[in-house]
Each structure stands twice: as C-alpha cells, then as structure tokens.
C-alpha cells in the first residue's frame, strides 16, 4: 500500500483526505475480482451513501487481473433527463476504442442518434419500428450487440436506486442471455432501492456467475486503520479510533471528512507513535458529515468557495464551462478553484464533467445558501444549461423552477414531459407533469389538459398515490371543456381502480365520462365497459349487462383493432364472472387474432383479464393457459405493471389449484414488490392469509384475512372476499366459535343478493352453510343453498356441482343424518377433481370421514387418510394436524411423518445442513437461501454455523469443495 498523498491544496495547504489504502474490504474486493474475471457474471454491490461503493470499484479498475478488459461506467442521476437508458448510453460511449473494424449488423444502427461519438463504427439507422415497444426492443438488441462486439467488457452501472424504469428493463433483458464476455456490476443504496432492482439478478441463467457484496460500516479497529492510512502513519491510538467510530458510526466518507476538518483546525497532534485528539472533552465536532464538510469549505480560497456553491446548486457533475458560467467568474479563477477542490478530494472528475465527490457534501453546502442566493445560482445554472445543444431538459426545468421563473419552467417541463412520453418513460413524465400541476401558474384549460396527460402517464406506472388522485379530482371540479372533463374523469376512474378505491367512486366517474365523450368512441366504449364490470354494490346484474350490451354495440365504431381486442377481453371477463357461456366465443376470437401469443400491451391485458376471471370462476385450465401467455407477453412488451398483474394472478391460481410447493416464496417476494400497487397486491394478500391459516399461523391469518376481506369488498372484489370469508369461517368452526363468522358471511350474501350475482359466493357456500346451521339458522342455510342452486341453473359454473354437493352434505350433517352427509361429501370431493381443487377435495373427504366415523360406517378411515395425505403434500400443517387428531380419537393408525430436526446426526451434516451449506458454497446469501428453502435468515445462519463447526472450517468461503454430497 502507498502512503498518504500529502500534496498541499493550491491555497490552503490542506492535505488530501482520500485514503490511499482500501480498508476493511479485502474479502469484498477479492469476490469482486474473482467474479468479474469469470464472465458472464453479475456482481451486486449494496451499501448506504458514503459506505465506499465507488471506492471499491476504483480499486477494481487498478487490479492486474483486469488487464485486457474494458471497464465502462454509467451513473444514474438524482436529477434525471426525460430520455431513458441514460446510464447505459453514458457507459457505451467508453467503448469507442474497443469496437472491431468489421461491420456490425444493421440493428446496431439504432444507436447512431444516441451515440454520435461512435457514428463512424455504426451502420445507418434501420427503418423506424411500428410502435414504442418494438423500438425499445430494437434499441436493447443494438446495445447488447455493441457490448458483445467490444470483447471482454465490465459494465458498471452506479447508483441504480435512481435508475429509470427502462434502464432496469434493459438490464433485465441483458441478463436473460448475457454476452459471453460481459461482466455486469451494479451498485445501489439498499434503503432506497426499488424491489424490482433487487430482483434483477435474483434468477440468472445457469452459466452466469453471481456475487452479492454488502458493504457494512467499519468497526472500531477498521476505523483506526482507515484513519492511519489517511494520515500516512502506522497507527492511531485506540482512544482516537473510538472517538472517530462514535462520531461517524464507521461510515468511511464521514471518517475522511472529519479527519480533514481536524487536521485543518490543528486538533490532531502526534503522540507516542500515533495520533490522538488534543483535548477529547473540549473538542466539539458534531457527528455525521454536514458540519465537517462546511468547516472544510470555510478554509478554502474565495475562488474555490464560489465553485463549491455553484456545484452545490448544480448537484450533478457538469462540463467545466457550465460550472464557470454558473459561478460567473473568470475561467482561470474557476480552474484554480477546481485544482484546489480536486486536490483536496472534495471534487471528482467524471470524464469531461466535474462535481462533488459525494452528494451528501453538495446537500450540506446547499442547505447553507440563503433563498435569494439559491435563486440567483439556479438562474445562472439555467442560462448555462440552456445554451447547450440539445439542452438537458430535465436539469433545465429543475433550475428554472428553483430560480422562481415559473412560466419558463412550465414551458420547459412540459417539453421534457412530452419527450419522456414519446420515449416511453412514463414515470418521469408523470413526475414532471405532477410538479407542473401542483406548482405552475396555469389557466384552467391548460390545467385540464396537463391533468389528463398526467393521468394517462400515471396509469402506466406502479406507484399511484392517493395524493395524486386527490390532485386530479381537484382539477375535475374546474370549469373544463366537455371533452377534457370526460377524458379526465375516465382516466381518473382508471387510477382509482388501480389504487383500490371505493367501487362507487369509480362508477360515478365512469358515468360522468360516458356523458362527455361523444367524440371519443374508444374511450366511451371503455368507460361503458367499466360500468359493465359488476363491482359497485347495490347495482343489479341486469344493469351491468345493459352496459355490456351498449359497449358491444359501440365497439364497431372504434377504429383501433388492438383496442377492440382489449375491450373484447374485458367483455369476456364479465361473461366469465356472470356465468355467461358466450365468453368462450370471445376468447376464441382473441386467441385466433393473436395466434395464442399476445405481443402488444392491450392484447396482453385482454388475456390477463379473462385469465384472472377464469381463475376466480374455477376454469383453472383455461386460466393457466391465458395467464401463462399473458406473463410471457408482459415480459415481451416490458411492462412491469402487466407483469405484476400476471404474476399475482398466477399466484392466486396456484393456490386455487393446490400448487403450493414454491408458493410461500413467491408470495413473500410479490408482497414486497407490490407495496405500491394495491390492485394487484390484494390478490396476493388473500393467498398469504389463506396460506397462513393452512400453515397453522392462526392469529396472523385471522388478522390478515379480516383486513384483506374489507379491502377487497371496498374494491368490489367479491370473489376475493369469498376466499377470505371461507377461510375465516373454517377457522371459526375449528375454534368452536361459529357465531364469529356469521356477520361476514351475511354481509357477503347481502351484497351478491342485491346484485343478483351468484358466482362469487360459491367458494364460501359450504363453509357459510355450516356456520349458519351451527348457530341454529338451518332454515336460512337451506334457503341460501336452494337460491344458489336455482340461480346457477344454466350458468357456466365449474365449481357449482362440487360446491352444491358439499353444502348439501353440511346441511345433512347438521341434521344428524351422518351416513347421507358422508355420501354427499364424498361425491363433492370427486366433483372437485375436474377443476383441480385439491385443497377443497381434501376438506370434503376429511369432513365425509368425520360423518361416516360418527355413523360407524365401515371404511371411513380411507377418505380420512386420503385427506391427510393431500394435506401433507400441500404443506397444510394445520389441516394435517386436525385430521391426525381425528384419526387418533378413533384409533386409526396414521403413517409416520418426519418432522425434521437433527435425529442424532452427531458430527455428520444433517440433510438440511448439507442443503444450506451447498447453497452457501455456491455463493448464495443467507437471504437468498432463506427464500429458496422457505426458512428464516436466522435459521439459515444457524445451519451454516453448525456446518462450519462440524467440518472444522472458519468461514463460509471455505465451504466450496468441502460440502459432502451425501
């Protein structure tokens, strides 16, 4: 290791404070080098701001193992431009000298407008694609070809927590089949990163090597080592190291900044071969970074301080002329100040751009500027950036706004939003338009138009907040032209649906829209479709059917064939949910037109709508086909929203079909990813509650099911309410508290009776009949069963035959007719098989066995043991324990079940320890292993510790090659 660079600053004599040695990161650097030199590979570096992610990568670039490889870097910025893929394009510019002389394929020409630096190596641009999705796919292919042609490349994308959606989508596309010579390294702050970013490298193709590096805060020993390295000495005193650790929490950037301040103030003195503070009690330096940074800056020259203030306002690194123009001082003075700042380590160079080495320092300085000074500097920054060609619209809009030039800001921000929408960057467009709507001086007509575009952009994103819908609702109350009012009401209805708002609110907005959209048959038909979906309470089914009929009559007036396909999907969805057999004809048309493989957003949405309804109604095979195609299509069109919906629906389908093997891990991941998307999350919440009950987590299940039933009811999701209510009723019966389930059942029944909608009640009918009979309301239960049977007559209801027999068996059991009840319940179990309802079939068999055992019928143990076997295969521990208890009461031998545990393995690894250790040896983290094996991270850590002890190893790195195979 070299010693500290003690060259003085230009004016202050202040030593450079960036450590010449990498401290406390040897293992992480070794992992990084090993992985990137074995392409194709991915390294994920996670850590908080100031933890040393960029420093680790700086060390990587200097390692001899990387000789012959090109390292290119792109940075995600906090202040983004409205065009997507900025970080990837920025990195691609570094490939100029690596491209071969041979011609690239025509698809690479798509990059010419974005990479003029490579124009001499790129073919002419190909013809423009037919739509945005195709254009994005073409651009993705071109970038992959560029990375492949450049040979061994290490692509570094820093600060991925600020990435735009298309950068995340491109990386996901890249990792599907990465070039053989590519190593990808990404960094992000764990506390700020979106779950979709975390999921990028979770599942990779088999040949791809993967490593995860999590940078932790330095401990007291490492803090002392870092301080000694910065000061260029052998060691510091333990007291001094403890002081630094307490003040900085072991954050490397804070340690560097605090040491720089102490040296500048003369508060570090040499003593006894090391350094110690002159007076520990007297020195009053606050913790963190803000004050140390400001104190360092106060010791800079006047010219350097002017540069610092301008850079703090600009935030992101900029070309030197922009920085000089913002300072409004002679270039020579700016350059002198830059020399001083770069030498001190406060600033860093990034190609042709310069700026703060760390955003925290910029924010610290910005916070000290007065309001008038900020506005003046923002104005200068806007002028400097506006002179660039083309101007960076995102940054320009930011500075105009903070300069108080709101009229100019509104114009530029609207242009930036238009650019973002044109390029498919919906989230950035929504952000810009929302800021305009909240803060810009707009007349009502312009406010209405911007609100409509905002609603259109927002519906394509996942993060839709109640604050946004409130903002748009306020615009809707203004005096707007009818066409604008109608479109805004329609799009606001879509947003309310997405956030799970009250179904009545949604219906009122659709009704308003229909009356104002005379010149938009496409949107008018869509609004009619919204009124045809049976979600709003107290609206009879006949009215929904009338709206459906009106929509189908309007459909021929819609010119867009994709849009007609989309609306046919919605119509088929309603027909499925209401038992209308005509849905199959519509689905046949949709599949014929798309050849069974949707590759446009609206076609994917059509498949998804019908597939979800088919899952609810019990058409499980149809649901699997449609939703599987929808998921493939959603990934093809690169829509996170559609992908979320398809994955949520498939999770619900897996629950309904008894495909539970990997469902807990899937549900946990989806709940995390869907935190801001209630419309898709509610499906997964229902599954999570039902699984919690089956796994015996009764209190958690009860709490979750009550909450999600209320949420689904507010959204008009009666099918989900039925699933949750059924689980609640079964729990109440087992706890011998059936009265607790009566009210939720009656609420659901009252709703579906008012709507004359019988299909949603099917999944809770048997439990509902049992609960009502158990509390002495057998006549009410009989009436319910008879009404349901009558209303189902002639409907396409695959669950009907099984559910009706199941409910009939419960009524017979309540009347003490045990043998007849057992026969009905066994018949119900058989009828649950065609739709694939394994869990319900097992419940019917268990209940049949109970009745037959009471009646003393020979052979009653067979359905009980069959039910027990099904429960065990499903992993339904609560149900299995209950069935086992019944068997023991009647003296029925139960096959033994291994419950886990060490079973006397001594110094040999248990099967579970071997399984966990093998995954750890392969480089998986505790979190990944926990998700794969459905364990807690603490349990994983316990198994790894036991494996290390038994094998006589000291670290998990030594597990490779040491884990026995049997």
């Amino acid at each position: 290791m070299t010693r500290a660079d003690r060259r003085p600053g230009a004016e202050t004599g202040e030593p450079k404070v960036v450590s010449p040695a990498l401290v406390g990161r040897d293992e992480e650097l070794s992992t990084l080098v090993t992985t990137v030199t074995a392409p194709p590979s991915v390294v994920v570096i996670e850590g908080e701001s100031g933890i040393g992610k960029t420093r680790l990568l700086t060390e990587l670039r200097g390692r001899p193992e990387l000789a012959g490889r090109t390292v290119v870097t792109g940075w995600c910025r906090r202040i983004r431009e409205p065009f997507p893929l900025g970080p990837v394009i920025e990195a691609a510019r570094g490939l100029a000298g690596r491209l071969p002389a041979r011609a690239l394929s025509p698809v690479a020409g798509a990059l010419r407008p974005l990479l003029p630096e490579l124009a001499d190596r790129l073919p002419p641009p190909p013809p423009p694609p037919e739509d945005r999705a195709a254009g994005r796919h073409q651009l993705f292919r071109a970038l992959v070809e560029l990375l492949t042609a450049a040979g061994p490349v290490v692509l570094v994308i820093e600060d991925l927590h600020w990435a735009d959606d298309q950068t995340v989508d491109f990386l996901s596309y890249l990792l599907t089949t990465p070039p053989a010579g590519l190593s990808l390294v990404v960094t992000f702050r764990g506390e700020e990163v979106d779950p979709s970013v975390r999921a990028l490298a979770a599942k990779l193709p088999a040949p791809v090597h993967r490593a995860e590096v999590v940078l932790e805060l330095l401990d007291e020993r490492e803090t002392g080592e870092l301080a000694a390295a910065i000061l260029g000495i052998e060691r510091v005193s333990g007291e001094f190291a403890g002081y630094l650790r307490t003040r900085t929490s072991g954050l490397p950037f804070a340690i560097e900044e605090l040491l720089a301040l102490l040296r500048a103030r003369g508060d570090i003195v040499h003593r006894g071969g090391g350094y110690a503070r002159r007076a520990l009690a007297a020195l009053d330096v606050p913790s963190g970074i803000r004050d140390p940074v400001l104190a360092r800056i106060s010791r800079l020259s006047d010219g350097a301080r002017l540069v610092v203030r301008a850079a703090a306002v600009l935030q992101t690194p900029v070309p030197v002329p922009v920085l000089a123009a913002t300072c409004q001082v002679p270039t020579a003075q700016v350059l002198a100040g830059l020399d001083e700042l770069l030498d001190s380590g406060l600033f860093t160079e990034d190609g042709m751009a310069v700026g703060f080495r760390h955003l925290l320092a910029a924010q610290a300085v910005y916070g000290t500027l007065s309001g008038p000074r900020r506005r003046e500097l923002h104005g200068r920054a806007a002028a400097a950036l506006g002179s660039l060609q083309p101007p960076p619209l995102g940054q320009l809009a930011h500075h105009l706004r903070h300069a108080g030039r709101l009229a100019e800001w509104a114009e530029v921000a609207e242009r930036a939003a238009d650019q973002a929408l044109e390029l498919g960057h919906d989230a950035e467009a929504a952000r810009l338009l929302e800021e305009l709507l909240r803060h810009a001086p707009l007349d009502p007509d312009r406010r209405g138009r911007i609100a409509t575009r905002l609603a259109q952009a927002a519906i394509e994103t996942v993060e839709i907040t109640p604050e946004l819908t409130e903002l748009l609702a306020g615009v809707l109350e203004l005096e707007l032209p009818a066409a604008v009012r109608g479109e805004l009401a329609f799009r606001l209805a879509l947003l309310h649906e997405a956030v799970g708002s009250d179904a009545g609110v949604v219906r009122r907005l659709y009704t308003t829209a229909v009356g104002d959209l005379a010149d938009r048959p496409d949107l008018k038909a869509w609004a009619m479709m919204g009124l045809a979906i049976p979600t709003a309470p107290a609206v009879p089914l006949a009215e929904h059917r009338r709206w459906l009929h009106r929509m189908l009559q309007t459909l021929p007036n819609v010119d867009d064939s994709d849009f007609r396909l989309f609306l046919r999907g919605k119509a088929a969805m309603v027909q499925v949910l209401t038992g209308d057999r005509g849905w199959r004809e519509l689905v046949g048309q949709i599949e014929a037109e798309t050849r069974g493989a949707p590759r446009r957003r609206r076609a994917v949405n059509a498949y998804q709508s019908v597939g979800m309804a088919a899952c609810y109604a019990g058409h499980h095979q149809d649901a699997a086909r449609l939703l599987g195609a929808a998921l493939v299509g959603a990934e093809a069109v690169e829509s996170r929203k559609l992908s979320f919906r398809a994955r949520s629906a498939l999770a619900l389908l897996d629950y309904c079909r008894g495909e539970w093997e990997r469902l807990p891990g899937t549900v946990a991941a989806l709940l995390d990813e869907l935190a801001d998307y209630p419309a898709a999350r509610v499906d997964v919440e229902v599954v999570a509650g039902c699984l919690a009950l089956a796994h015996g987590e009764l209190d958690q299940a009860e709490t979750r099911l009550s909450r999600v039933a209320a949420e689904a009811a507010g959204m008009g999701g009666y099918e989900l309410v039925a699933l949750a209510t059924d689980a609640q009723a079964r729990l109440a019966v087992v706890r011998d508290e059936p009265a607790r389930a009566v009210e939720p059942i009656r609420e659901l029944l009252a709703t579906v009776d008012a709507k004359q909608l019988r299909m949603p009640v099917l999944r809770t009918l048997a439990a509902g009949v049992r609960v009502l009979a158990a509390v002495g309301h057998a006549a009410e239960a009989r009436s319910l069963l008879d009404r349901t049977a009558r209303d189902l007559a002639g409907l396409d209801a695959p669950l009907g035959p099984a559910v009706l027999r199941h409910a009939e068996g419960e009524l017979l059991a309540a009347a003490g007719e045990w043998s007849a009840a057992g026969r009905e319940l066994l018949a119900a179990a058989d009828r649950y098989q065609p739709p694939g309802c394994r869990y319900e079939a097992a419940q019917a068999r268990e209940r049949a066995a109970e009745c037959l055992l009471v009646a003393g019928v020979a052979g009653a143990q067979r359905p009980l043991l069959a039910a027990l076997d099904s429960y065990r295969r499903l992993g339904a521990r609560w149900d299995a324990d209950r069935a086992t208890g019944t068997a023991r009461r009647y003296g029925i031998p139960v096959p033994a079940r291994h419950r886990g545990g060490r079973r006397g393995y001594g110094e040999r690894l248990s099967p579970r320890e071997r399984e966990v250790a093998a995954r750890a040896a392969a480089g998986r983290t505790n979190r990944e292993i926990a998700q794969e094996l459905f364990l807690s991270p603490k349990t994983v850590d316990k198994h790894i510790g036991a494996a290390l002890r038994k094998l006589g190893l000291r670290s998990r790195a030594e597990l490779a090659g040491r884990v026995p195979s049997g």
Side-chain angles (χ1 to χ4, degrees):
M1 297 292 183
T2 60
R3 304 202 36 106
D5 183 352
R6 302 196 191 194
R7 291 175 299 158
E11 301 291 337
T12 65
E14 181 183 349
K16 191 169 183 175
V17 296
V18 179
S19 171
L22 187 69
V23 173
R25 306 293 190 223
D26 290 347
E27 184 176 345
E28 291 85 351
L29 181 59
S30 175
T31 297
L32 189 55
V33 171
T34 301
T35 307
V36 300
T37 53
S41 60
V42 179
V43 182
V44 176
I45 303 176
E46 177 180 347
E48 64 181 281
S49 179
I51 199 70
K53 301 183 291 294
T54 300
R55 176 56 193 272
L56 184 64
L57 291 171
T58 301
E59 293 290 327
L60 173 70
R61 292 184 183 92
R63 290 294 291 252
E65 294 94 331
L66 269 71
R69 301 177 188 277
T70 301
V71 182
V72 291
T73 304
W75 285 265
C76 304
R77 308 293 187 187
R78 188 177 190 182
I79 300 177
R80 293 200 291 256
E81 287 307 311
F83 66 88
L85 292 173
V88 183
I89 298 299
E90 182 178 22
R93 292 191 180 103
L95 299 174
R98 293 286 301 185
L99 294 177
R102 63 177 175 83
L104 298 169
S105 75
V107 74
L111 294 171
R112 283 180 72 104
L114 298 174
L115 291 170
E117 302 91 337
L118 307 184
D120 60 328
R121 295 296 180 95
L122 296 174
E130 59 183 0
D131 59 24
R132 279 187 354 195
R136 184 164 39 182
H137 185 258
Q138 184 183 75
L139 188 59
F140 285 7
R141 288 177 56 205
L143 285 167
V144 172
E145 178 165 348
L146 202 68
L147 292 168
T148 303
V153 171
V154 180
L155 172 62
V156 180
I157 303 295
E158 288 224 57
D159 294 329
L160 206 58
H161 49 277
W162 286 327
D164 62 274
D165 288 345
Q166 288 199 37
T167 294
V168 176
D169 290 343
F170 169 72
L171 295 179
S172 179
Y173 175 87
L174 177 67
L175 293 177
T176 302
T177 311
L182 177 71
S183 295
L184 173 66
V185 182
V186 299
T187 72
F188 58 75
R189 301 179 190 173
E191 70 276 11
E192 295 184 28
V193 74
D194 187 89
S196 64
V197 174
R198 284 191 179 278
L200 266 178
K203 294 182 180 179
L204 298 171
V208 181
H209 298 87
R210 180 187 187 280
E212 181 176 1
V213 175
V214 179
L215 298 182
E216 306 288 352
L217 295 168
L218 303 182
D219 59 23
E220 184 172 316
R221 177 186 59 79
E222 292 165 339
T223 298
E225 290 177 6
L226 179 60
I230 291 171
L231 298 172
I233 60 173
E234 211 171 297
R235 63 180 178 85
V236 297
S237 69
E239 183 183 34
F240 185 44
Y243 162 78
L244 284 177
R245 180 64 175 78
T246 300
R247 292 292 186 177
T248 65
S249 300
L251 185 69
F253 178 69
I255 294 168
E256 293 176 348
E257 297 303 320
L258 192 55
L259 282 174
L261 171 65
L262 293 176
R263 292 188 71 175
R265 289 172 51 168
D267 284 322
I268 302 178
V269 295
H270 188 273
R271 186 179 68 198
Y275 275 81
R277 283 188 301 126
R278 175 175 294 156
L280 289 174
L283 184 61
D284 182 22
V285 179
S287 61
I289 298 174
R290 176 186 171 89
D291 288 351
V293 169
L294 297 181
R296 285 184 64 198
I297 289 169
S298 70
R299 288 166 173 76
L300 296 172
S301 66
D302 291 343
R305 285 201 299 273
L306 289 173
V307 174
V308 161
R309 290 168 187 159
V313 168
L314 288 161
Q315 281 200 30
T316 62
V318 295
V320 172
V322 172
L323 183 61
T326 305
C327 292
Q328 278 195 344
V329 297
T331 301
Q333 191 174 349
V334 172
L335 293 176
L338 279 176
D339 286 341
E340 186 178 344
L341 290 161
L342 290 167
D343 194 57
S344 72
L346 270 170
F347 271 33
T348 186
E349 293 180 273
D350 174 10
M352 299 297 293
V354 292
F356 276 97
R357 185 168 68 90
H358 202 287
L359 180 63
L360 292 175
Q363 292 171 332
V365 175
Y366 188 83
T368 66
L369 301 177
S370 66
R373 179 57 59 87
R374 287 182 186 178
R375 286 190 290 276
E376 178 191 14
L377 288 171
H378 277 298
R380 294 178 185 174
L385 292 167
S387 66
L388 300 178
Q389 290 300 323
L393 295 177
Q395 294 181 56
L396 182 56
H398 171 82
H399 292 297
L400 285 170
R401 177 187 172 189
H402 290 282
R405 293 155 60 179
L406 299 186
E408 294 173 79
W409 162 57
E411 294 294 334
V412 173
E414 196 167 355
R415 285 167 53 203
D418 287 342
Q419 186 182 70
L421 285 171
E422 182 181 346
L423 294 166
H425 198 355
D426 300 301
E428 184 65 10
R431 183 189 68 79
L432 289 163
L433 292 169
E434 183 174 355
E435 286 186 350
L436 278 174
L437 211 55
R438 290 191 184 281
H439 304 294
L442 306 170
D443 60 64
D445 283 2
R446 190 178 178 192
R447 185 171 292 275
R449 290 194 300 272
I450 287 177
T452 300
R453 287 157 64 202
L454 169 57
Q456 186 174 6
I459 198 63
E460 298 298 333
T461 69
V462 174
E463 296 80 10
I464 302 168
T465 65
E467 291 78 15
L468 173 62
T469 57
E470 289 174 11
L471 175 65
L472 295 172
V475 177
L476 192 60
E477 294 176 0
L478 301 175
E479 289 292 330
L480 302 173
V484 174
R485 182 175 63 244
E487 184 173 354
L488 180 55
F490 163 71
R491 299 198 184 280
L492 184 54
L494 294 181
L495 290 173
H496 273 292
E497 282 185 331
V499 298
S501 298
D502 181 82
V505 172
V506 175
R507 188 168 186 82
R508 287 192 292 274
L509 288 166
Y510 277 137
T511 303
T512 299
V514 168
D516 286 332
L517 288 171
D519 297 330
R520 289 294 303 271
D522 53 345
L523 299 187
K524 185 172 184 177
W526 194 349
M528 289 176 177
M529 191 64 247
L531 293 168
I533 299 173
T535 54
V539 177
L541 183 58
E543 183 172 342
H544 294 297
R545 284 177 170 155
R546 282 195 296 272
W547 280 112
L548 182 61
H549 180 67
R550 286 186 61 183
M551 189 282 293
L552 291 172
Q553 286 183 317
T554 306
L555 200 55
N557 299 326
V558 177
D559 294 330
D560 188 335
S561 59
D562 274 359
F563 201 74
R564 292 197 302 270
L565 189 97
F566 164 77
L567 290 175
R568 282 204 299 272
K570 294 292 186 184
M573 175 189 74
V574 172
Q575 290 177 328
V576 172
L577 294 175
T578 57
D580 186 335
R581 298 180 185 277
W583 73 274
R584 291 192 181 276
E585 180 181 351
L586 284 177
V587 168
Q589 295 170 8
I590 292 168
E591 291 186 301
E593 190 170 331
T594 58
R595 298 181 180 180
R599 289 297 181 269
R600 295 179 185 273
R601 286 184 183 229
R602 285 173 175 162
V604 172
N605 202 306
Y607 274 70
Q608 194 169 275
S609 297
V610 189
M612 176 62 96
C615 172
Y616 290 149
H619 298 286
H620 294 157
Q621 289 185 346
D622 295 295
R625 182 184 76 255
L626 293 165
L627 291 172
L631 180 58
V632 173
E635 292 171 349
V637 301
E638 299 158 7
S639 169
R640 289 177 65 210
K641 178 183 174 183
L642 290 174
S643 178
F644 281 153
R645 291 304 303 262
R647 289 167 58 202
S648 300
L650 284 167
L652 183 64
L653 178 62
D654 283 344
Y655 173 78
C656 292
R657 293 192 300 175
E659 300 284 349
W660 293 8
E661 183 179 1
R662 296 199 175 274
L663 194 53
T666 300
V667 167
L670 281 171
L671 288 175
D672 188 29
E673 293 179 82
L674 294 171
D676 297 315
Y677 195 16
R681 182 183 172 96
V682 68
D683 299 310
V684 188
E685 285 276 12
V686 168
V687 176
C690 292
L691 283 178
L693 178 61
H695 293 161
E697 300 160 0
L698 304 187
D699 292 339
Q700 177 188 341
E702 187 171 31
T703 300
R704 190 165 225 150
L705 289 167
S706 297
R707 183 182 69 246
V708 75
E711 183 180 350
M715 297 166 61
Y718 307 119
E719 297 82 5
L720 293 172
V721 178
L723 271 170
T725 303
D726 172 71
Q728 290 175 297
R730 289 187 287 111
L731 176 58
V733 166
V734 172
R735 284 179 163 174
D736 199 22
E737 300 173 340
R740 295 185 62 183
V742 170
E743 195 57 35
I745 288 169
R746 282 178 171 160
E747 286 181 9
L748 176 61
L749 294 176
T751 300
V752 298
D753 280 341
K755 298 184 70 64
Q756 301 170 329
L757 186 65
R758 195 55 53 188
M759 295 283 284
V761 81
L762 291 183
R763 291 190 185 272
T764 197
L765 181 66
V769 164
R770 185 174 181 181
V771 163
L772 290 171
V775 296
H777 297 294
E780 183 182 353
R782 168 53 68 185
S783 175
L784 167 62
L785 179 54
D786 291 345
R787 288 199 315 274
T788 303
R790 182 177 62 252
D791 292 346
L792 289 180
L795 297 185
D796 188 9
L799 297 179
V803 168
L804 292 174
R805 298 297 288 269
H806 195 157
E808 185 66 43
E810 292 293 357
L811 270 179
L812 290 168
E817 299 179 32
W818 300 110
S819 296
R823 289 193 298 271
E824 284 293 319
L825 289 161
L826 287 176
D830 291 339
R831 283 162 176 75
Y832 277 125
Q833 296 301 336
C837 300
R838 301 178 188 177
Y839 192 33
E840 289 84 350
Q843 292 168 21
R845 287 197 177 93
E846 179 194 3
R847 184 68 170 135
E850 292 174 353
C851 295
L852 295 174
L853 286 167
V854 172
V857 175
Q861 74 276 11
R862 286 193 293 272
L864 183 62
L865 294 178
L868 177 58
D869 181 63
S870 295
Y871 289 146
R872 287 179 174 177
R873 290 177 184 274
L874 287 167
R877 294 185 295 274
W878 179 62
D879 304 273
D881 289 345
R882 185 180 62 247
T884 299
T886 300
R888 286 174 178 162
R889 286 198 305 275
Y890 286 92
I892 300 171
V894 174
R897 178 186 65 176
H898 173 53
R899 295 180 177 275
R902 296 188 177 180
R903 298 197 304 185
Y905 287 99
E907 291 306 305
R908 293 184 296 115
L909 297 187
S910 71
R912 180 61 92 184
E913 289 165 351
R914 187 182 301 111
E915 193 175 23
V916 170
R919 282 170 165 77
R924 289 178 174 81
T925 65
N926 285 8
R927 187 183 307 165
E928 291 170 332
I929 298 169
Q931 290 177 349
E932 290 175 12
L933 300 180
F934 309 133
L935 302 172
S936 71
K938 287 185 178 179
T939 301
V940 170
D941 190 61
K942 177 181 176 183
H943 286 313
I944 290 175
L948 292 175
R949 177 180 57 78
K950 290 181 179 182
L951 295 173
L953 305 177
R954 292 175 297 176
S955 73
R956 62 193 295 153
E958 299 178 47
L959 284 169
R962 296 293 305 278
V963 181
S965 59

